[in-house]
Amino acid sequence: MEESQPLYGPPNLPESASAHSSERYHSTGNRSRGSSVTAGLKKRGHGSRSWIKIDKNGNSKTLELDKATIMRHCSLPARDLRLLDPLFIYPSTILGREKAIVVSLEQIRCIITADEVILMNSLDGSVVKYKSELCKRLQIKKYQAEDLPFEFRALELALELICMSLDAQVYELEMEMYPVLDELTTSVSTLNLERVRRLKGQLLALTQRVQKVRDEIEHLMDDDGDMAEMYLTEKKQRSEAGLSEVCIQTHTSGGAREVSKSAPVSPVESSTSGSQKLQRAFSSIVSLSKHGSLMSSSDAGENIEQLEMLLEAYFIVSDNTLSKLSSLKEYIDDTEDLINIKLGNVQNQLIQFQLLLTAATFLATISASVTAVFGMNFADSIFDYPSAFNWVLVITGGTCGLLYFSFLFYLRRRKVFPL
């Protein structure tokens, strides 16, 4: 069931006060126009936002609240509400305060108290799913025995949805990346390299997000004080019990004073009875404080263990998701190493071919130099024999071929490349 109403409405003004204020506004309207614009600029950061309030029974309401109202209602400082501002980008954070738990996990940003959840309204799928699932679970568990306090159930659902969302994103990334990497190993092309570069950027961003959630859960598990601070129901019950005890003691002391007024006593007896009452009151206060501290410490230890088990379960889930990302990154690194090895092999083959081509070009140059010498116009007795030039060409070609095969044999003996 949803409604749209403010959490704290303005007080009803009497007719005389409203009439006086309207008359004063019309009389000073022109003078205050510039100041109202300046005040509007100053209060731009304190504008109202849309929030969803969910109570213990699973009923939800859509509210328009500003920061000041939320700060007064939940006893939170302004720096905690800054974590929930969608205009700022902050890492995943879970803070335990005196009367509330501030949760900023990815798109789920809410304030959890002992009686309600104030969720920042958004059209994101995680926020809509969190609202519907929390209302559904609260309405179902309303008729069942409660195994966890209200604030722990709300926190558990936020962790569950975020861990499931991150794990689903990792699965989609794996299904998209493994075929691309396998294709890249068989065909190194610009298109495949560009796809791998884009997917690797997504992998790094997703790894940072999962790492932030995991580190925040681990930080809470390492600090017993923060976990004890997050048990809001126990603190509320303890404060209500203390108030009831104070009221009972006040009522008892008031009855004793009435009896003392109705029956006159001597000054000595009154002073003696007063001192005895003071001693008894002091001893009862000390015993109550000791008993309360013992009960609170034992309950805190039990609740810390309960919350620690809850956090540990989602720590394992986030750590498993992070290990999947690490395995995927290692697969990418292995693929890059394989591609580098293949490229190095191709480069070595090109160097071998260049070496053979250089040797052949050198020997061809020697042969061309010999033929160029005999092609010059000078007188020599060798030209008297027509077949002499043919023998020169044969001897020159055979010598160059012998040198080339000697060069190949030398490279093979030196194991420069197998032939």
Side-chain angles (χ1 to χ4, degrees):
M1 180 179 62
E2 295 187 1
E3 298 178 3
S4 179
Q5 62 180 17
L7 185 61
Y8 297 103
N12 296 326
L13 295 174
E15 294 181 358
S16 59
S18 61
H20 178 69
S21 62
S22 62
E23 182 181 357
R24 184 177 57 185
Y25 172 76
H26 288 295
S27 62
T28 61
N30 295 328
R31 290 181 299 173
S32 63
R33 184 176 300 170
S35 61
S36 64
V37 173
T38 305
L41 291 175
K42 290 182 179 179
K43 294 182 179 180
R44 183 172 55 183
H46 302 279
S48 299
R49 294 185 182 276
S50 179
W51 299 80
I52 300 175
K53 176 185 173 183
I54 305 173
D55 58 11
K56 285 186 175 182
N57 296 324
N59 301 320
S60 62
K61 299 178 183 178
T62 303
L63 310 173
E64 294 292 334
L65 304 175
D66 56 357
K67 287 186 177 180
T69 304
I70 298 176
M71 289 167 58
R72 288 193 303 268
H73 181 66
C74 302
S75 301
L76 292 175
R79 61 178 178 271
D80 291 344
L81 292 181
R82 199 177 301 123
L83 298 174
L84 306 179
D85 198 333
L87 300 179
F88 298 97
I89 300 176
Y90 288 99
S92 298
T93 307
I94 301 175
L95 300 177
R97 294 297 184 243
E98 180 64 27
K99 295 183 179 180
I101 300 175
V102 181
V103 178
S104 177
L105 295 174
E106 297 289 327
Q107 292 80 17
I108 298 179
R109 304 185 180 191
C110 61
I111 302 172
I112 303 174
T113 64
D115 300 320
E116 60 191 9
V117 175
I118 303 177
L119 175 66
M120 180 167 288
N121 195 3
S122 175
L123 298 178
D124 187 81
S126 300
V127 177
V128 176
K129 189 173 182 180
Y130 178 81
K131 171 198 169 185
S132 60
E133 188 67 21
L134 181 60
C135 294
K136 180 180 178 181
R137 292 187 181 185
L138 291 176
Q139 290 174 358
I140 292 175
K141 291 186 178 181
K142 180 170 61 175
Y143 304 101
Q144 299 176 359
E146 297 182 359
D147 52 346
L148 286 175
F150 171 77
E151 61 273 14
F152 287 177
R153 284 183 284 166
L155 178 61
E156 180 187 14
L157 181 59
L159 291 172
E160 178 183 349
L161 293 180
I162 292 301
C163 291
M164 290 174 57
S165 175
L166 293 175
D167 191 70
Q169 295 178 31
V170 171
Y171 179 76
E172 293 177 359
L173 187 61
E174 286 178 342
M175 293 296 102
E176 186 178 1
M177 182 166 286
Y178 281 121
V180 174
L181 293 175
D182 294 338
E183 185 179 356
L184 183 62
T185 55
T186 57
S187 174
V188 181
S189 62
T190 305
L191 179 61
N192 291 334
L193 290 174
E194 181 63 26
R195 292 171 63 187
V196 171
R197 186 192 64 82
R198 177 178 57 84
L199 293 175
K200 190 174 181 180
Q202 296 179 7
L203 173 66
L204 294 177
L206 189 57
T207 303
Q208 292 179 357
R209 292 164 56 192
V210 176
Q211 185 71 42
K212 293 293 184 182
V213 175
R214 178 185 177 276
D215 292 343
E216 185 62 26
I217 298 176
E218 185 178 10
H219 174 71
L220 287 176
M221 292 172 60
D222 293 339
D223 196 336
D224 294 343
D226 289 345
M227 287 192 291
E229 192 74 18
M230 294 172 64
Y231 197 72
L232 306 177
T233 303
E234 179 185 355
K235 291 192 291 185
K236 181 181 179 181
Q237 292 175 355
R238 197 182 307 157
S239 62
E240 291 177 353
L243 290 175
S244 62
E245 290 177 359
V246 170
C247 293
I248 292 173
Q249 290 179 0
T250 306
H251 180 71
T252 306
S253 61
R257 281 197 297 268
E258 290 179 359
V259 172
S260 62
K261 287 181 181 180
S262 61
V265 294
S266 63
V268 178
E269 291 179 355
S270 63
S271 61
T272 303
S273 61
S275 62
Q276 291 176 354
K277 290 179 180 179
L278 182 62
Q279 291 177 358
R280 286 196 299 268
F282 180 75
S283 62
S284 63
I285 292 173
V286 170
S287 62
L288 285 172
S289 63
K290 289 182 179 180
H291 179 70
S293 62
L294 290 174
M295 291 293 292
S296 62
S297 62
S298 61
D299 292 341
E302 182 181 356
N303 293 325
I304 287 174
E305 183 179 357
Q306 188 180 27
L307 179 58
E308 187 174 6
M309 292 175 63
L310 172 65
L311 294 175
E312 185 178 0
Y314 293 100
F315 175 78
I316 294 174
V317 174
S318 60
D319 188 69
N320 185 28
T321 304
L322 189 62
S323 65
K324 291 181 182 178
L325 293 172
S326 301
S327 301
L328 189 57
K329 187 177 183 301
E330 291 178 359
Y331 192 80
I332 293 175
D333 295 338
D334 295 340
T335 305
E336 290 179 352
D337 294 338
L338 179 60
I339 292 173
N340 291 330
I341 292 173
K342 287 186 175 182
L343 293 177
N345 187 24
V346 173
Q347 187 177 5
N348 291 335
Q349 292 177 359
L350 291 176
I351 292 174
Q352 293 172 9
F353 180 75
Q354 183 182 4
L355 186 60
L356 295 176
L357 187 61
T358 303
T361 304
F362 174 71
L363 296 176
T365 304
I366 294 175
S367 178
S369 300
V370 174
T371 57
V373 169
F374 283 93
M376 296 178 66
N377 188 12
F378 64 93
D380 197 350
S381 60
I382 195 173
F383 294 109
D384 296 335
Y385 303 95
S387 61
F389 186 71
N390 294 330
W391 282 103
V392 170
L393 293 179
V394 170
I395 293 172
T396 303
T399 304
C400 291
L402 182 61
L403 290 176
Y404 186 73
F405 282 106
S406 300
F407 179 72
L408 294 180
F409 180 74
Y410 173 76
L411 293 178
R412 184 176 182 181
R413 290 292 300 272
R414 299 290 297 180
K415 297 181 180 180
V416 177
F417 55 85
L419 292 174

